[in-house]
Amino acid sequence: MNKSKLEKLVISAQIIGKSSLSEAAETDSVSCFAEQTLAKIKDTELLTACVPKKYGGHNVGLRPGTNLELLKILKYIGKGNLVMGRILEGHFNAQLLINQFGSEKQKKLFAADASQGKLFGVWNTQSEVGTFLSKKKMVVII
């Protein structure tokens, strides 16, 4: 990915982070959600940041030299609204796992979903014998 595209994603995160401070204070409750901040994130290309370029994404976190930008994006969003920072972190984590362990069909499906503004998340629990991943089959429950 070219440097200016990466910089654009980071700048978008910085702008959204700064503008989300007041909403973060107003929505710091279990009965509220930072809808305006999420809408701003969806209006950028941030939801496809960690999607492979061949599926319309930006390869952030997938190619050498892009991890610093990934961390900056999460820092700026989280600095403005920690809840949204954690949501975006889970979204990115899911994209990275899909890239690593998903089938081509799953990669295409989830890239298209991210392009349409859908959010992903990761939930993990450990069984008594430990948790492991297998490349043979990735199951997604929606």
Side-chain angles (χ1 to χ4, degrees), residues 32-78:
C32 297
F33 185 74
E35 293 177 28
Q36 294 171 3
T37 302
L38 179 58
K40 290 175 186 177
I41 289 171
K42 286 182 175 185
D43 284 343
T44 67
E45 296 182 22
L46 288 172
L47 292 184
T48 58
C50 298
V51 169
K53 188 173 183 175
K54 73 179 184 176
Y55 300 120
H58 302 286
N59 285 331
V60 177
L62 300 173
R63 298 287 181 255
T66 61
N67 285 338
L68 180 58
E69 283 76 10
L70 175 64
L71 295 173
K72 285 180 181 179
I73 291 167
L74 292 172
K75 172 187 160 184
Y76 291 133
I77 297 295

Side-chain angles (χ1 to χ4, degrees), residues 2 4 20-21 38 45 47 68 77 85 89 99 123 131 133:
N2 93 32
S4 66
S20 68
L21 284 169
L38 179 58
E45 296 182 22
L47 292 184
L68 180 58
I77 297 295
E89 177 187 20
N99 184 67
W123 178 75
T131 303
L133 297 172

Side-chain angles (χ1 to χ4, degrees), residues 13-29 32-38 41 73-89:
Q14 194 171 23
I15 292 167
I16 293 167
K18 284 181 183 178
S19 71
S20 68
L21 284 169
S22 62
E23 187 187 34
E26 295 167 8
T27 59
D28 188 15
S29 165
C32 297
F33 185 74
E35 293 177 28
Q36 294 171 3
T37 302
L38 179 58
I41 289 171
I73 291 167
L74 292 172
K75 172 187 160 184
Y76 291 133
I77 297 295
K79 187 175 180 181
N81 185 319
L82 185 57
V83 171
M84 289 309 301
R86 295 299 307 266
I87 288 169
L88 192 59
E89 177 187 20

Side-chain angles (χ1 to χ4, degrees), residues 111-132:
D113 284 348
S115 295
Q116 294 171 10
K118 293 183 181 177
L119 281 173
F120 311 143
V122 175
W123 178 75
N124 180 29
T125 186
Q126 187 166 335
S127 68
E128 290 181 25
V129 295
T131 303
F132 66 93

